[in-house]
Amino acid sequence: MTVIFNALAVILFLPYHVAFDKVSVSLKMGDSVTLHTGVKTNQQEDIKWYFGDTRIAQITGDLSFICTGVQCNEGTERFRDRLKLDNQTGSLTIMNTTNTDSGLYKLKIISSNDSEKIFSVSVTEVPATELHEMKEGESVTLDSGVIKHPNDVMTWYFNQTEITGDQSKICTDAQCKKRFGDRLKLDHQTESLIITDTRNTDSGEYKLQVSSSDSSFSITTVKRFSVSVTAVPDSDLSSAAVAGIFVAVILLVAVAVAAGVVYYRCRRRTAVPQNEDDDDDDNSPPDPKSIHLR
Ligand SMILES: *[C@@H]1O[C@H](CO)[C@@H](O)[C@H](O)[C@H]1NC(C)=O
Ligand SMILES: *[C@@H]1O[C@H](CO)[C@@H](O)[C@H](O)[C@H]1NC(C)=O
Ligand SMILES: *[C@@H]1O[C@H](CO)[C@@H](O)[C@H](O)[C@H]1NC(C)=O
Ligand SMILES: *[C@@H]1O[C@H](CO)[C@@H](O)[C@H](O)[C@H]1NC(C)=O
C-alpha cells in the first residue's frame, strides 16, 4: 500500500517539479553566466531557450539545426554576439551581461517527456573599476570582496597577464617573477591580492576573475582595479643633488687648499734661489743692498 502510494507521489510530484523548476541567478554587469540544461543534446529532440516570449537559442538533438540570437529571431539584436550554445548539453552562455539582460529565461526540453525550467536572472550595476593611488614603497590590498568557496576558481590578472595559477600559486612564471619578485601575496581566505613595496612599474589594471559553478548554472565574475603608483623622485633627487653639491664644495675647498699650499711652497722655494742666483739673473737687476748684505 505504502509502496503504491510512494510511487504515485513520485509520479505526481516529478512532472510538477520539473515543469515549475525556477532558479534565481544574481549577476553584476560584465559577468558571464552559463545556464545549465542538465541534459545531453543527443538524448533530446529539441532544446529551446526563450527570453520572455522571444526564442533566443535552439538546438536539435541531431545538431541539424542550431541558432542563437538573431539567427533564431529578428527580435534578439539586444544580445548581439553575446550568446553561446554548448552543442553537447544545450546550455546557454550569456557573455558580458548588461542590466537589460535581466529577466526570465525559459528552457524548454522536448523529448519523450517534455520539461521546462525557468531562470530568473538579475543583473545589477556595479562601480566599474576600483581606484587605488599610492606612493612607491607603500603596500596595497586589492580586496576580492568575496569569501572563497572550495569550488571557486579565482584568477588574478595584471594588464591581461595571469599572475596567479592553480591552487593559489602566485607569480610562478619567469616574467611575473622578474616584475614582482616576491612582493605579491594572497590572502588565503579571500584571495585578495596584496602588493608590498610597490614600484612605479606596478601601475596598471589588475583584474580578478572568479568562476563558480553549481548544477544549475555557472558564473564568471570580474572585478577590476586600477592601480597608480607615483614615483617619489623629489626627495631622492634632491638628496642626491645635496650630496653632489656637498661633494663639489669639498672638492673645491680641497683644490683651493692644495692650490694655496703649492703656491706657498713655490714662493718659498723660489724665494731662496732668487737670492742665491741674483748674480746670474739677467732679468732682475742685482739688488746692491742684498749683495751688500750677503
Ligand atoms: C560543437 O561544438 C564544438 C566546440 O564548440 C565544435 O568544434 C563543433 O564543430 C560543434 N559541432 C557542431 C555540429 O556544430
Ligand atoms: C561589454 O559590454 C560593454 C558595453 O555593452 C562594452 O563596452 C565592453 O567592451 C564589453 N566587454 C567585453 C569584454 O566584451
Ligand atoms: C522521462 O521521465 C522519466 C521519469 O518520469 C525518467 O525516468 C526518464 O529518464 C525521462 N526521460 C528523459 C529522456 O528525460
Ligand atoms: C599596464 O597598463 C597600463 C595602462 O594601460 C600602462 O600604463 C602600463 O605601462 C602597463 N604596465 C606594464 C608593465 O605593461
Side-chain angles (χ1 to χ4, degrees), residues 82-149:
R82 295 185 297 112
L83 296 179
K84 218 170 63 186
L85 202 56
D86 184 319
N87 61 21
Q88 307 270 299
T89 62
S91 297
L92 180 73
T93 300
I94 311 163
M95 291 172 288
N96 192 15
T97 53
T98 76
N99 50 2
T100 56
D101 296 343
S102 295
L104 296 182
Y105 291 76
K106 190 161 69 184
L107 165 67
K108 269 192 183 169
I109 301 174
I110 320 290
S111 63
S112 50
N113 28 359
D114 300 356
S115 66
E116 274 187 27
K117 194 168 177 179
I118 291 183
F119 294 84
S120 171
V121 173
S122 87
V123 183
T124 55
E125 258 178 275
V126 285
T129 303
E130 207 172 284
L131 299 175
H132 291 269
E133 289 178 347
M134 73 222 61
K135 293 201 192 78
E136 265 185 333
E138 292 176 353
S139 292
V140 61
T141 298
L142 307 180
D143 188 359
S144 70
V146 296
I147 302 289
K148 193 182 184 233
H149 296 292

Side-chain angles (χ1 to χ4, degrees), residues 11-25:
I11 288 165
L12 287 177
F13 176 72
L14 255 184
Y16 176 86
H17 177 73
V18 169
F20 292 89
D21 206 359
K22 186 169 162 185
V23 175
S24 293
V25 185

